């Protein structure tokens, strides 16, 4: 890929996300997400391998289905309310379909199956892009409609994402798959609290992005793709290996690291909302 075409691709990804975040109309938000999706496909398929082609196809199909669900939801809502406005999503059926489509775009359970597979088939830089930047637009849309989504749906998907993310990462030796399950787990926390405190959900996802970015960058720098690689880098780059270990502990929410702060605030909010059982499950 030439530098000029890469510039166009990255411009498409950036403009698509910004368009979705700044739009108040479902059609404009959908166009932004489509532009974003079409722009990232050449980046995923850049390595000329079978795995990369497979990852590109899986990513395209899941995102296309999610986009179709978004259009269906917004169209049904227009029939009911006569408005394309994002804040006017009042129909319960439309809201449920929209929530599921956004979860599918993010890679939250129970529609998470594509995320570990896609990440495993791409480079570390692309995996970083999918787990961070690509989540901003769907999370923003979910934030905008969070008042209209039934809390039961968000909480159920959130708890399921926490369980899937936690258990899925246990038996992994591939670092990209581990990071994918870490992403699913973190989305679980974000979606659960979205029902009660959307601002806290935004803080949680952005804290996660800030912590994940250096992990991927250091793994790229050291060319580590498996746990075995990571265990042998101790002799060559002790500082970087230690930094990755500490950042991973922070991402998992261990006190006294930064990652513990949003989780503590989320648990505090759940308990103050008389949801002690839910907080216990989250722990």
């Amino acid at each position: 890929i030439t530098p000029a075409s890469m510039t166009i691709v990255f411009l498409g990804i950036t403009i698509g996300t910004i368009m979705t975040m700044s739009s108040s109309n479902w059609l404009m938000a959908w166009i932004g997400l489509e532009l974003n999706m079409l722009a990232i496909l050449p980046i995923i398929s850049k390595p000329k391998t079978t795995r990369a082609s497979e990852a590109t196809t899986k990513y395209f199909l899941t995102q296309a289905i999610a986009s179709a669900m978004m259009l269906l939801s917004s169209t049904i809502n227009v029939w009911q309310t006569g408005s394309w406005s994002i804040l006017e999503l009042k129909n319960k059926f439309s809201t449920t379909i929209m929530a599921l489509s956004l979860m599918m775009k993010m890679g939250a359970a129970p529609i998470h199956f594509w995320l570990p597979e896609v990440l495993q088939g791409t480079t570390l830089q692309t995996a970083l892009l999918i787990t961070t930047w690509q989540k901003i637009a769907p999370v923003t849309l979910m934030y905008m409609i969070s008042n209209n989504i039934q809390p039961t749906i968000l909480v159920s998907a959130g708890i399921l994402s926490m369980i899937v993310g936690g258990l899925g990462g246990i038996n992994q030796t591939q670092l990209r798959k581990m990071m994918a399950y870490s992403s699913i787990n973190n989305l679980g926390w974000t979606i659960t609290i979205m029902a009660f405190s959307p601002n806290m959900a935004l803080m949680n996802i952005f804290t996660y992005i800030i912590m994940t970015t250096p992990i991927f960058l250091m793994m790229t720098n050291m060319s580590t793709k498996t746990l075995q690689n990571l265990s042998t880098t101790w002799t060559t780059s002790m500082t970087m290996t230690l930094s990755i270990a500490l950042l991973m502990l922070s991402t998992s929410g261990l006190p006294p690291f930064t990652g513990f702060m949003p989780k503590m605030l989320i648990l505090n909010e759940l308990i103050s909302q008389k949801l002690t059982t839910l907080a216990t499950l989250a722990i």
Side-chain angles (χ1 to χ4, degrees):
I1 300 176
T2 60
S5 57
M6 281 303 281
T7 307
I8 294 165
V9 162
F10 278 108
L11 209 59
I13 292 169
T14 312
I15 291 169
T17 301
I18 293 168
M19 192 190 288
T20 304
M21 288 171 72
S22 58
S23 62
S24 59
N25 181 297
W26 278 120
L27 274 179
M28 288 304 291
W30 175 77
I31 290 166
L33 285 169
E34 287 298 291
L35 178 64
N36 180 286
M37 177 191 75
L38 291 171
I40 202 172
L41 292 177
I43 298 177
I44 302 172
S45 62
K46 194 183 174 187
K48 298 290 176 274
T49 59
T50 317
R51 285 302 298 269
S53 305
E54 187 186 329
T56 312
T57 310
K58 283 177 180 173
Y59 186 83
F60 172 72
L61 288 174
T62 49
Q63 297 294 317
I65 292 164
S67 294
M69 284 167 70
M70 268 189 75
L71 266 186
L72 171 71
S73 167
S74 49
T75 309
I76 291 168
N77 188 61
V78 169
W79 283 339
Q80 295 284 325
T81 63
S83 169
W84 280 103
S85 171
I86 290 176
L87 300 173
E88 289 292 316
L89 195 71
K90 303 287 189 223
N91 185 288
K92 272 190 178 181
F93 178 71
S94 296
T95 317
T96 308
I97 298 288
M98 186 61 74
L100 286 171
S101 72
L102 292 174
M103 285 173 201
M104 194 172 189
K105 280 206 166 286
M106 285 187 263
I111 325 166
H112 66 281
F113 302 102
W114 63 272
L115 189 63
E117 296 299 317
V118 169
L119 254 59
Q120 188 57 34
T122 61
T123 60
L124 285 164
Q125 295 98 317
T126 313
L128 166 65
L129 199 63
I130 293 168
T131 50
T132 56
W133 182 260
Q134 293 299 95
K135 292 209 178 356
I136 295 172
V139 167
T140 308
L141 285 175
M142 191 174 271
Y143 174 83
M144 290 164 85
I145 63 165
S146 57
N147 291 337
N148 299 327
I149 306 174
Q150 291 168 288
T152 320
I153 295 164
L154 288 174
V155 169
S156 305
I159 293 293
L160 193 60
S161 294
M162 286 182 205
I163 294 166
V164 167
L167 295 177
I170 290 172
N171 205 26
Q172 297 299 331
T173 55
Q174 295 288 333
L175 289 174
R176 278 169 295 181
K177 277 196 174 180
M178 279 178 69
M179 293 306 291
Y181 283 110
S182 164
S183 173
I184 294 164
N185 179 273
N186 188 269
L187 278 172
W189 286 87
T190 307
I191 292 167
T192 304
I193 200 62
M194 189 72 82
F196 310 104
S197 176
N199 291 334
M200 206 174 282
L202 280 193
M203 184 197 69
N204 182 59
I205 197 78
F206 282 114
T207 308
Y208 172 76
I209 288 170
I210 291 162
M211 289 186 300
T212 305
T213 307
I215 293 176
F216 272 109
L217 291 175
M218 283 191 278
M219 287 197 306
T220 308
N221 191 29
M222 295 193 295
S223 302
T224 50
K225 290 179 181 175
T226 61
L227 278 175
Q228 195 176 2
N229 293 151
L230 200 60
S231 61
T232 54
T233 54
W234 183 260
T235 49
T236 54
S237 181
M238 191 171 76
T239 315
M240 216 171 266
T241 313
L242 189 64
S243 300
I244 288 180
L246 292 174
L247 277 164
M248 281 183 167
L249 288 173
S250 181
T251 314
S252 63
L254 195 79
F257 298 107
T258 314
F260 175 64
M261 180 193 64
K263 288 183 171 60
M264 183 184 69
L265 292 171
I266 288 168
L267 288 171
N268 183 49
E269 181 66 27
L270 290 173
I271 291 163
S272 66
Q273 293 273 0
K274 307 279 190 294
L275 294 161
T276 318
T277 317
L278 196 58
T280 314
L281 268 172
I283 295 164

